[in-house]
Amino acid sequence: GNSVTQMEGPVTLSEEAFLTINCTYTATGYPSLFWYVQYPGEGLQLLLKATKADDKGSNKGFEATYRKETTSFHLEKGSVQVSDSAVYFCALSEGSGNTGKLIFGQGTTLQVKP
Amino acid sequence: NAGVMQNPRHLVRRRGQEARLRCSPMKGHSHVYWYRQLPEEGLKFMVYLQKENIIDESGMPKERFSAEFPKEGPSILRIQQVVRGDSAAYFCASSPGGHEQFFGPGTRLTVL
């Protein structure tokens, strides 16, 4: 079945460092891909998305490119801030004709130190 | 436009009691999803509903769990005879259709 695998955390960085969180997926068809962010005690917020191969999603300085050849959707940010500390989830939504349910990776905790 | 509302935010139950979790979708959204997040884990899909219909319940445990989304009112996730293993955060998401889902703040269930 479909699945998402993320790099294990926690990831600890200093402020202004470069961030990469790896995400790979297994899916039949043509899924849409998402990154969600969860701050402590809160629900998930959509960070960015990509719906087809080679699409780049971007938001708040974060970027991720849908790579069909490597089945990856790695999250990157050039310069992290303390306020970026949160748990990041990669997810896929199965393609057309399906229910749209999301399949999540296990989450990666990011800690940014001043 | 208010976001997805869930209540209660925190719920404590003793083993054997019933838990009722409510979710009010965003205005204009007729699709509701429920997910469960166990400690230190990602979210797992439970059930997908549209008004008055269960579309996909492939992630629901076979016993004690049920969900509904009536024509009027919020969606309800009901857990009967709770056990300690049911302790988790339960998130509801709504969608107008398509693949983008908007999440509520969650209900954190603790079973004593």
Side-chain angles (χ1 to χ4, degrees):
Chain A
N2 297 345
S3 65
V4 175
T5 301
Q6 291 180 233
M7 63 187 287
E8 288 195 23
V11 174
T12 302
L13 296 173
S14 297
E15 208 165 21
E16 299 184 3
F18 184 85
L19 169 70
T20 300
I21 300 178
N22 290 338
C23 171
T24 57
Y25 67 91
T26 301
T28 55
Y30 303 94
S32 295
L33 300 174
F34 304 83
W35 277 100
Y36 281 86
V37 58
Q38 184 180 31
Y39 298 100
E42 297 185 12
L44 276 69
Q45 299 175 26
L46 178 63
L47 183 59
L48 52 84
K49 66 178 181 181
T51 58
K52 61 183 187 296
D54 299 326
D55 268 2
K56 177 186 281 188
S58 61
N59 186 26
K60 300 180 181 179
F62 291 89
E63 293 182 341
T65 301
Y66 189 144
R67 301 284 188 201
K68 191 164 170 46
E69 63 276 12
T70 55
T71 62
S72 65
F73 193 54
H74 304 322
L75 182 68
E76 297 182 336
K77 187 176 185 183
S79 176
V80 294
Q81 305 300 312
V82 172
S83 57
D84 293 326
S85 299
V87 182
Y88 292 81
F89 292 95
C90 185
L92 70 82
S93 175
E94 297 168 335
S96 61
N98 288 291
T99 63
K101 67 185 181 187
L102 293 171
I103 297 173
F104 286 89
Q106 70 271 36
T108 302
T109 299
L110 171 65
Q111 299 172 339
V112 180
K113 297 187 182 300
Chain B
N1 189 5
V4 178
M5 310 283 284
Q6 288 188 250
N7 67 79
R9 293 290 307 273
H10 300 274
L11 182 61
V12 178
R13 285 287 178 266
R14 297 189 181 280
R15 282 178 295 170
Q17 292 184 318
E18 178 179 288
R20 278 185 184 240
L21 288 63
R22 294 174 183 77
C23 169
S24 296
M26 290 178 69
K27 188 176 180 181
H29 289 192
S30 60
H31 301 247
V32 166
Y33 301 80
W34 285 93
Y35 295 86
R36 177 164 65 174
Q37 184 179 31
L38 294 169
E40 307 299 324
E41 293 187 16
L43 280 74
K44 303 291 187 193
F45 168 78
M46 298 182 76
V47 62
Y48 163 47
L49 309 103
Q50 293 181 23
K51 283 286 188 182
E52 300 185 276
N53 288 301
I54 296 174
I55 308 301
D56 180 355
E57 56 181 347
S58 58
M60 288 279 270
K62 293 289 185 275
E63 297 177 349
R64 302 187 297 108
F65 285 72
S66 61
E68 62 177 9
F69 188 17
K71 186 176 180 181
E72 301 290 338
S75 176
I76 306 287
L77 179 68
R78 182 182 178 205
I79 311 172
Q80 295 179 291
Q81 299 176 320
V82 295
V83 301
R84 288 214 174 109
D86 297 332
S87 295
Y90 292 83
F91 291 96
C92 165
S94 74
S95 170
H99 296 295
E100 187 159 347
Q101 296 177 26
F102 298 82
F103 281 79
T107 294
R108 281 154 181 82
L109 172 66
T110 301
V111 179
L112 301 178

